[in-house]
Amino acid sequence: MSSTADSGVNAGPIYFELLGPISIVHGDNRKQLSSHRQRVILAALLLSANRVVPVDTLIDAVWGERPPATARSQVYICMTAIRGTLREFAPGELVVTEPTGYFMRLEPDQLDMRRFERMCSAATRMADRGQLAEAVVIQRRALDLWRGPALSGVSSPLIETQATRLDEDRLVAQDICAEWELRLGRHREMISELAERVAAHPLRERSRAQLMLALHRSGRQAEALETYRRGRQELIDQLGLEPGEELRRMEALILSDDAELQVAEPVRATLAPVRQLPTDTADFVGRDELIDEVSGLLNTTLDARPGTAVPVVVASGLGGVGKSALVVHVAHMVAGRCFADGQLYANLSGPSTRPRRPGEVLSRFLQSFGVRGGSLPDDDVERAELYRSLLADRHVLVVLEDASSEAQVRPLLPGSPSCAVLITSRHRLTGLAGAHHIDVSAFGEDQAADLLAKIIGPARVSAERDQVGELTRLVDGLPLALRIIGSRLSSRPHWTLKHMTRLLADESGRLDELAHRDLGVRTTISLTYNGLLPQEQLLLRSLCDFDADSIPGWVAAAALDVDQTDAMRLLDNLTDANLVRVVADDPGAPIRYRVHDLVRIFAAEQAAADPADLRSAAQARICGGWLWLAEQAHERLYGGQFTVMHGSAARWESDPLLAELTDPLQWLDAERANLLAAVRNSAAAGLDELSWDLAMTLVTLFEARSYVGEWEETHLEALAAARRAGNRRAEAAMLCSLGSLYLTRGQTGKAQAVLIPALRAFIELDDAGGRALAARNIATMHHRKGEFRQAQQRYRQALADFRLLGDHIGEAHVLVNLAGIDLDLERVDTAVTQLEEALRLSGLAGHRRTEAQAMYRMGEALVARGELRAAGETLRGALAMVRDDGDRMGQMHVLRGLGRMHLALGQLANAEYCAREAMALAREVGDRQTADQIRSELATVLARLGGSGGATQSVQSESAAGA
């Protein structure tokens, strides 16, 4: 019936706080970095948000004039840790690597410092227009953002200078707010606050003058003059100066009891209650459980405590199911009791071609509270801030009808828990953090009878009660359809319910009788299909041709080669017609659709009569759409089209779909079934270029998640399609990628059998990208065999091609592997130099997997140098990254490195644990060679733990299990 929205990383934006201890905030979670270096670096990035901070500046901020030799590497490590922490709160990359440094990509509202500045500016503009009461509300909200001295807990001369400036901005804002409050006649209320401020800042003359004025206006003239005398003495004792003009003038005015000191005109902030709710439905019936559920949530606003969330209820369901009637009915029930300060209402026109913009709605809401003309902020963000400020501590209900998205709704949400929001939408809006969701379903027979009785009278319904069930069945219980039936019967008193049933029983005219075919009136499959437009029929047939369980909406646009708006309209029509249904999916995920099984069979029979080229073109666009999205996901992970080859197949591109790729690897995993289906379908349809290109692009997912079975399955299917078409480049690409798979499994013989012919083909084709990939894989094969010279030769060949192509990730990956050889040959300094370059390149491209690999190797190098503490920090950072990404192969290698480090430190129990975990992962991903190597290392650990006999027995047991 209902659920609470997920509070994970997609549940809302991430915020940063500088106005106090530096913190990362997401929903109710606040995190402060434990490492001081990380706090300094994060502070430097935030203070220069959206501007590049050079690495040298970060080094100066952390170490000052005496940085260690490893400062640059340590900055890399700190940045990796910061990125890992940020990913705990929000997907995507907030920190961007540039050639000279880093910058933090932020929206203004994500940083409390910027919010403070904007709110103070908005308050000043309102005060200039004479709206002092409203200005005070906003200024107080701005000052509430402060939690202590700016950037407390960050010790760095570079940072402290800016912190001092921010603290001064706060004092100025407090003085300005006090001035406005005194002009409003709030002198008695201000005495305590001003006295505390003067005690904390005794040399601040403006605050002292304000305290003198407040005391004088409150009839405490002697105390006001004593405040002046104490201030004068402080200035003389500490600075050797007499008070300034403002303090001296205030003393003189108080001594003469000047009329200038009186309040010119007391002003009170007034917000007249607004009553914008639409008329309640007079014949509302049913929904008792939902009414109790929603009203119970709204009742909590009566005794809402500070810090609790604003109650937000989202009512979702098909058009015509009665969402708006329910919400408006409940709103009228609770309005007088819970929301005496007003009720706001807006129809957001979500399903229309022009949904209402949040700024437009905010403008109307603010005007309802008297904010008009020049007082209305131009900026939508400032409108939202003023809106939340005016509703603070007031009991206001906001009703938003027909919302289209979370983005449309978020700016319209109040900030005070004494307010509440009721939303209706055709979608569940699962991205609204903490919202309570209710599904509004169709009527059953009893509710249908009650509704008809309200419209046509209980006598007519009672006389033909047996007909109500059939009428309900014929219209699938849709309240709007039942209301249409009732209206027609009401206007025709001589009609019986049985007559209406006979009219609807004629399936060929049922939609005409209801007059709203697209509102979801259910008929038999054949009648509904025949009633569709030709384009809708074609869409249904094309969807059934693509062998998948559930699909996102863009597939419809690709099938017909139309824009997204038209496709969604067609899909909505199919959904309303009950031929396609919306599938409930994870919160925040795009809407997905599934064709009913019987409809799929019916549509497939109809599709058999379509021309073959028509069907093939539709499948090429659908599979081309999957290829394009997979390609974009790869690009977002790697920072470009690195370490991958592509073919000449046409892509089906749609920029709005990129919004789905905020977490590219998660998107690939979530859509895995559809992506595999696209490889199969395109191979079977003879679309060899599409099939091999998509199969190779999906290696991004297969490697990260160790889907080795699906890796081989897709490649063998694409390889067969390439050979049938005589496509040599495609064949070589699949052989090369299969070679990488076999190396992952430790099957060097099988790898060699496919990699050598792949390299030969790429050389003959003069394909630099293919040469680089094949040479790299062959080098890895030699490295695994211990053939270091041959490995280095092939790696250098690959490195030259990757540099020729500008493939930073390919280059970084080769450098990591060359460093591995150097470590094997005990050339540690050379390895470190190459790893630092690999870290720079992977950070520049923003590719976490290669960065983690470089950090793992760097950890090994630090172990070799004997810098075990630094090695541990580096390896643990790498482990956090690969675990966060679900990279099991990466976890295997990093755990192995940690085991070696623990062994060097003599921490044998930890070494044994890491080795066993690494060996289990090696078996899981099918890497027998690495498993054998770890098994040997485990034997060494066990021998040192308990003697060679026990070690031998244990390792033999491990060997048997590994076999």
Side-chain angles (χ1 to χ4, degrees):
M1 182 68 71
S2 65
S3 64
T4 302
D6 180 41
S7 60
V9 296
N10 290 323
I14 184 173
Y15 299 98
F16 297 91
E17 296 178 334
L18 300 181
L19 307 182
I22 184 169
S23 303
I24 305 167
V25 181
H26 183 254
D28 295 330
N29 300 320
R30 175 177 281 106
K31 183 178 181 67
Q32 296 174 359
L33 299 175
S34 58
S35 165
H36 181 258
R37 291 178 187 173
Q38 293 177 27
R39 290 199 299 271
V40 172
I41 290 175
L42 180 60
L45 292 174
L46 292 174
L47 287 166
S48 299
N50 298 313
R51 291 179 294 167
V52 175
V53 182
V55 173
D56 290 341
T57 301
L58 296 177
I59 291 173
D60 290 344
V62 176
W63 289 283
E65 297 179 355
R66 295 185 177 180
T70 58
R72 194 168 293 270
S73 295
Q74 291 189 49
V75 168
Y76 289 143
I77 293 167
C78 284
M79 289 305 309
T80 299
I82 290 171
R83 282 176 166 140
T85 300
L86 295 180
R87 290 188 192 100
E88 296 175 11
F89 292 88
E93 289 292 345
L94 295 178
V95 180
V96 178
T97 303
E98 292 289 338
T100 58
Y102 305 89
F103 76 86
M104 181 77 80
R105 182 192 291 119
L106 292 180
E107 297 296 327
D109 210 40
Q110 289 182 271
L111 192 59
D112 62 352
M113 176 179 73
R114 299 299 179 215
R115 294 162 67 194
F116 173 75
E117 293 168 352
R118 285 200 314 277
M119 292 174 75
C120 287
S121 296
T124 299
R125 286 196 298 272
M126 298 204 74
D128 291 344
R129 296 164 186 154
Q131 295 177 293
L132 289 183
E134 291 83 354
V136 167
V137 170
I138 298 174
Q139 192 87 334
R140 287 286 184 186
R141 281 296 190 189
L143 290 167
D144 285 344
L145 295 173
W146 286 80
R147 298 167 297 109
L151 292 160
S152 54
V154 177
S155 178
S156 166
L158 193 68
I159 304 300
E160 289 168 3
T161 300
Q162 299 188 66
T164 301
R165 177 186 60 78
L166 289 173
D167 287 334
E168 176 61 24
D169 290 344
R170 179 190 190 184
L171 291 172
V172 170
Q174 289 173 331
D175 288 341
I176 291 172
C177 190
E179 177 187 334
W180 293 339
E181 300 237 38
L182 290 171
R183 287 167 61 186
L184 288 167
R186 300 173 183 171
H187 37 272
R188 290 184 177 85
E189 296 94 322
M190 291 298 297
I191 290 175
S192 177
E193 178 181 329
L194 288 169
E196 290 179 7
R197 198 174 305 153
V198 167
H201 305 280
L203 301 180
R204 195 168 187 84
E205 296 189 35
R206 190 176 188 189
S207 298
R208 189 175 294 273
Q210 290 171 339
L211 176 58
M212 291 169 63
L213 177 60
L215 288 168
H216 174 73
R217 285 181 177 174
S218 302
R220 298 161 65 174
Q221 184 178 19
E223 292 176 63
L225 295 172
E226 178 61 24
T227 298
Y228 172 80
R229 283 191 288 272
R230 284 198 301 268
R232 178 177 180 274
Q233 195 61 48
E234 287 273 5
L235 288 165
I236 293 172
D237 290 346
Q238 295 193 38
L239 303 178
L241 298 174
E242 286 288 340
E245 170 66 22
E246 185 175 9
L247 269 183
R248 295 198 307 274
R249 182 171 183 274
M250 182 60 68
E251 180 202 29
L253 291 173
I254 291 173
L255 286 171
S256 61
D257 194 19
D258 196 292
E260 180 181 337
L261 298 182
Q262 302 306 313
V263 180
E265 183 180 351
V267 183
R268 300 294 177 194
T270 58
L271 292 178
V274 293
R275 303 283 188 265
Q276 296 181 349
L277 290 179
T279 303
D280 195 4
T281 304
D283 52 14
F284 187 90
V285 298
R287 314 291 194 195
D288 292 341
E289 292 183 4
L290 291 180
I291 290 172
D292 291 343
E293 184 178 348
V294 177
S295 59
L297 288 167
L298 300 184
N299 286 335
T300 62
T301 59
L302 290 172
D303 55 357
R305 292 173 299 173
T308 57
V310 178
V312 177
V313 179
V314 180
S316 56
L318 293 175
V321 81
K323 305 180 297 295
S324 297
L326 169 66
V327 161
V328 171
H329 184 69
V330 173
H332 278 283
M333 287 178 59
V334 301
R337 182 175 73 255
C338 302
F339 303 101
D341 293 320
Q343 304 93 46
L344 297 168
Y345 170 85
N347 188 323
L348 302 182
S349 305
S352 73
T353 57
R354 186 189 175 275
R356 299 188 68 182
R357 294 184 302 101
E360 176 187 350
V361 178
L362 285 169
S363 173
R364 189 169 66 79
F365 282 175
L366 291 172
Q367 290 179 41
S368 300
F369 284 117
V371 181
R372 303 179 186 278
S375 300
L376 189 68
D378 296 327
D379 182 72
D380 286 354
V381 173
E382 293 178 2
R383 287 183 184 182
E385 289 170 348
L386 177 57
Y387 167 71
R388 290 192 295 270
S389 298
L390 292 178
L391 265 59
D393 304 320
R394 289 177 169 82
H395 294 272
V396 175
L397 176 63
V398 182
V399 179
L400 305 173
E401 188 176 346
D402 266 341
S404 62
S405 68
E406 294 89 344
Q408 188 187 27
V409 166
R410 284 196 186 100
L412 307 177
L413 301 181
S416 171
S418 59
C419 298
V421 185
L422 294 177
I423 303 169
T424 70
S425 177
R426 299 193 180 196
H427 312 298
R428 284 177 56 83
L429 303 185
T430 53
L432 289 178
H436 187 86
H437 295 271
I438 61 171
D439 295 319
V440 184
S441 58
F443 277 172
E445 181 180 337
D446 289 343
Q447 290 174 314
D450 291 342
L451 177 59
L452 290 173
K454 289 268 190 177
I455 299 172
I456 65 174
R460 291 177 70 182
V461 173
S462 178
E464 298 183 274
R465 185 61 178 79
D466 58 325
Q467 296 296 314
V468 174
E470 182 64 9
L471 278 173
T472 305
R473 183 190 67 80
L474 289 170
V475 299
D476 201 28
L478 195 69
L480 180 58
L482 290 165
R483 187 171 295 280
I484 293 168
I485 291 171
S487 297
R488 296 190 68 187
L489 289 171
S490 178
S491 64
R492 298 166 175 82
H494 57 285
W495 278 18
T496 64
L497 272 65
K498 188 172 183 177
H499 176 69
M500 193 74 229
T501 302
R502 283 199 299 267
L503 290 175
L504 293 174
D506 181 3
E507 294 177 345
S508 62
R510 185 179 302 169
L511 299 178
D512 293 334
E513 293 297 336
L514 291 174
H516 288 285
R517 175 181 63 82
D518 62 336
L519 291 175
V521 176
R522 190 172 188 174
T523 64
T524 63
I525 295 175
S526 58
L527 177 61
T528 305
Y529 177 82
N530 291 333
L532 295 174
L533 297 173
Q535 198 173 29
E536 295 166 350
Q537 294 175 340
L538 177 59
L539 172 58
L540 188 63
R541 298 197 302 271
S542 299
L543 294 181
C544 294
D545 249 358
F546 185 74
D547 182 20
D549 184 45
S550 68
I551 56 170
W554 69 262
V555 172
L560 299 181
D561 199 18
V562 298
D563 65 39
Q564 192 77 3
T565 302
D566 290 340
M568 295 308 296
R569 175 181 56 79
L570 296 171
L571 264 178
D572 283 342
N573 290 345
L574 293 178
T575 302
D576 289 341
N578 291 307
L579 294 173
V580 174
R581 65 186 176 92
V582 175
V583 179
D585 216 330
D586 294 334
I591 298 171
R592 305 181 69 83
Y593 299 85
R594 178 177 296 154
V595 182
H596 294 273
D597 290 339
L598 291 176
V599 174
R600 182 183 298 280
I601 295 170
F602 174 84
E605 293 172 349
Q606 303 300 311
D610 286 336
D613 59 344
L614 179 68
R615 298 176 69 179
S616 178
Q619 291 309 298
R621 287 191 297 271
I622 293 173
C623 295
W626 286 115
L627 172 58
W628 184 72
L629 282 171
E631 194 174 64
Q632 298 305 308
H634 176 95
E635 180 158 340
R636 292 195 176 197
L637 283 166
Y638 282 76
Q641 291 303 318
F642 302 128
T643 67
V644 70
M645 294 176 61
H646 289 299
S648 60
R651 276 70 168 156
W652 192 87
E653 302 180 13
S654 179
D655 288 340
L657 302 182
L658 294 178
E660 299 179 15
L661 298 180
T662 53
D663 187 339
L665 191 58
Q666 177 59 34
W667 179 87
L668 286 168
D669 210 357
E671 294 288 6
R672 180 163 47 120
N674 278 320
L675 291 163
L676 296 177
V679 175
R680 288 193 306 269
N681 290 351
S682 55
L687 303 169
D688 52 291
E689 279 289 297
L690 265 172
S691 185
W692 82 260
D693 197 339
L694 183 54
M696 185 167 229
T697 305
L698 291 180
V699 172
T700 299
L701 170 66
F702 299 149
E703 280 187 325
R705 295 289 194 259
S706 299
Y707 294 145
V708 291
E710 292 172 350
W711 187 343
E712 185 170 33
E713 175 189 339
T714 55
H715 280 53
L716 290 176
E717 288 185 1
L719 178 61
R723 284 174 170 164
R724 287 194 299 269
N727 190 335
R728 286 194 66 208
R729 183 169 183 266
E731 180 180 356
M734 291 296 92
L735 290 175
C736 181
S737 187
L738 283 169
S740 182
L741 165 63
Y742 297 144
L743 288 173
T744 298
R745 289 176 168 174
Q747 299 168 314
T748 53
K750 292 185 71 173
Q752 184 170 349
V754 295
L755 287 172
I756 299 302
L759 179 58
R760 287 175 183 159
F762 286 132
I763 292 173
E764 292 174 7
L765 294 167
D766 193 22
D767 189 318
R771 282 199 313 264
L773 292 173
R776 183 198 64 182
N777 290 347
I778 292 172
T780 302
M781 178 186 72
H782 286 305
H783 190 182
R784 291 207 168 199
K785 290 180 176 182
E787 300 166 352
F788 295 149
R789 184 181 61 79
Q790 296 94 320
Q792 286 174 320
Q793 180 182 354
R794 290 297 189 184
Y795 276 137
R796 291 190 183 105
Q797 176 187 345
L799 191 62
D801 277 327
F802 280 134
R803 284 174 174 165
L804 176 67
L805 296 165
D807 188 334
H808 298 315
I809 297 305
E811 183 182 351
H813 189 260
V814 171
L815 288 170
V816 170
N817 289 333
L818 282 170
I821 295 177
D822 286 325
L823 290 176
D824 289 338
L825 297 175
E826 299 184 356
R827 298 196 294 240
V828 180
D829 290 340
T830 304
V832 168
T833 299
Q834 295 185 109
L835 289 170
E836 287 182 340
E837 177 63 8
L839 278 168
R840 187 188 74 80
L841 290 169
S842 57
L844 186 64
H847 186 239
R848 285 166 53 85
R849 193 163 193 268
T850 305
E851 186 177 6
Q853 290 170 349
M855 288 179 65
Y856 156 65
R857 287 292 188 196
M858 181 68 81
E860 285 193 324
L862 292 171
V863 170
R865 276 184 171 178
E867 300 177 19
L868 300 181
R869 187 174 301 279
E873 182 178 347
T874 302
L875 289 169
R876 281 188 287 272
L879 184 62
M881 289 177 67
V882 292
R883 279 181 170 165
D884 184 47
D885 292 340
D887 184 350
R888 288 174 288 184
M889 198 174 303
Q891 292 176 54
M892 172 190 73
H893 289 296
V894 178
L895 283 167
R896 183 185 181 188
L898 279 168
R900 291 170 174 172
M901 182 206 68
H902 287 304
L903 180 61
L905 286 169
Q907 299 168 344
L908 300 181
N910 288 343
E912 180 190 7
Y913 172 81
C914 290
R916 290 189 184 278
E917 289 291 304
M919 188 155 56
L921 285 164
R923 291 174 183 154
E924 184 181 336
V925 301
D927 190 341
R928 294 183 180 180
Q929 185 175 352
T930 301
D932 290 340
Q933 293 169 351
I934 298 172
R935 188 179 298 111
S936 175
E937 295 164 4
L938 178 61
T940 302
V941 175
L942 294 175
R944 290 181 57 179
L945 272 170
S948 60
T952 301
Q953 181 179 1
S954 177
V955 174
Q956 285 176 346
S957 173
E958 296 289 347
S959 179

